Amino acid sequence: MHSYFKLEMDKSITAGLDLPSFEREEIDYWLNEAIRKFVKTRYSGLNSKNEGFEQTEKRINDLRTLIKEEFLTVSSGTTDVDKPNSYKANLSALTYTYWLAISDEVTIQYTKLGGGTETKRQGTTQCTADTYRSHIDDPYSEHRLHYESAKPLRLIKENYVELITDGNYSITKYFLRYITKPTEVVYSTVTDCDLPDHTHNEIVKIAASMALENVEQPRYQTHLREVGSME
């Protein structure tokens, strides 16, 4: 990737002169910036194809090596500021890996109509701070247990995922599928990019465009159009 970055920047070596000059650490910086930009734009759909993650096979393959799934145990809210019938999944254990959420599920536990306890894996109902109250007041909200099915409300608070039930069931586990933070490319330790091989050329071109803009090269606009047209 370092070699191709130099070729993209049209570096010429004549009589020991290497221009424009980039240290290895500087190339590392631009490659890692490009990796982060690549992941974010392929995830969000803010790219030349307007295709977000999992909308096409190409988008799935672009980020497949970064997809992880973990389950977290949950604890019930006990403080005065915790919402009623709430449970919390602590994300701090994923601090060094968790980056962008894809989907989540929970296991709920409830008493069946005929007696006995049942455990079932269900989805969640995403809500925001300003829609929380309307969900709580809504008798038909999906977070209410109905015909042995319920999707608890989900809110984010600091390093926690808040999961709110209607009080008729409990939550035992939280499953999170997410995109992990990509490994940083480091030339000195031979730490390679952990995205699929087919993405490396695209990443190098993005890195070169960002570097060209930084050094105010007139080639930047032309190079940017080339990057925008590739897939």
Side-chain angles (χ1 to χ4, degrees):
M1 294 178 83
H2 271 242
S3 297
Y4 281 116
F5 177 86
K6 292 179 179 181
L7 288 172
E8 287 291 335
M9 297 299 292
D10 194 26
K11 293 173 75 77
S12 58
I13 302 176
T14 305
L17 188 63
D18 191 4
L19 297 172
S21 180
F22 285 94
E23 299 292 334
R24 289 173 177 173
E25 293 78 10
E26 291 177 304
I27 299 177
D28 282 346
Y29 170 80
W30 290 118
L31 288 174
N32 287 311
E33 284 292 293
I35 289 170
R36 286 186 281 270
K37 184 174 183 178
F38 178 89
V39 173
K40 288 180 181 179
T41 56
R42 270 55 181 177
Y43 171 83
S44 65
L46 296 175
N47 51 68
S48 62
K49 302 294 185 181
N50 294 319
E51 295 170 350
F53 178 61
E54 292 190 328
Q55 284 190 309
T56 64
E57 195 66 30
K58 173 68 163 61
R59 289 291 167 261
I60 294 173
N61 284 325
D62 282 347
L63 305 180
R64 59 181 166 77
T65 57
L66 300 183
I67 300 172
K68 307 290 183 185
E69 184 162 340
E70 306 279 353
F71 81 85
L72 305 171
T73 56
V74 299
S75 57
S76 59
T78 55
T79 69
D80 291 338
V81 297
D82 287 328
K83 288 179 169 49
N85 305 313
S86 69
Y87 295 78
K88 295 189 291 187
N90 192 344
L91 295 175
S92 59
L94 306 179
T95 299
Y96 298 105
T97 56
Y98 171 63
W99 197 20
L100 301 167
I102 299 174
S103 63
D104 59 2
E105 291 181 300
V106 296
T107 51
I108 66 171
Q109 195 170 76
Y110 58 92
T111 301
K112 296 190 293 184
L113 294 175
T117 301
E118 180 76 14
T119 300
K120 186 181 293 185
R121 187 159 168 167
Q122 300 274 271
T124 63
T125 302
Q126 297 186 27
C127 72
T128 59
D130 60 341
T131 61
Y132 163 77
R133 191 69 249 174
S134 62
H135 279 287
I136 293 297
D137 295 337
D138 182 1
Y140 302 106
S141 174
E142 288 188 302
H143 83 285
R144 297 186 181 280
L145 186 64
H146 185 65
Y147 288 112
E148 300 188 349
S149 177
K151 297 179 179 180
L153 301 179
R154 192 203 75 169
L155 286 168
I156 300 296
K157 176 184 177 183
E158 297 177 348
N159 282 330
Y160 293 94
V161 176
E162 287 184 294
L163 303 160
I164 299 99
T165 77
D166 68 348
N168 293 312
Y169 61 95
S170 59
I171 299 172
T172 57
K173 290 181 182 178
Y174 176 70
F175 298 86
L176 178 63
R177 192 174 181 86
Y178 64 95
I179 293 175
T180 188
K181 295 176 183 176
T183 299
E184 287 203 357
V185 171
V186 183
Y187 186 95
S188 61
T189 59
V190 200
T191 305
D192 201 2
C193 178
D194 56 354
L195 272 77
D197 289 345
H198 75 269
T199 68
H200 293 186
N201 185 52
E202 297 176 55
I203 290 167
V204 169
K205 287 183 178 294
I206 293 171
S209 287
M210 297 171 76
L212 284 169
E213 181 186 24
N214 184 259
V215 298
E216 300 179 343
Q217 286 276 5
R219 289 177 49 218
Y220 168 67
Q221 292 298 333
T222 301
H223 201 277
L224 187 63
R225 287 193 295 271
E226 292 175 358
V227 172
S229 65
M230 75 180 181
E231 278 292 338

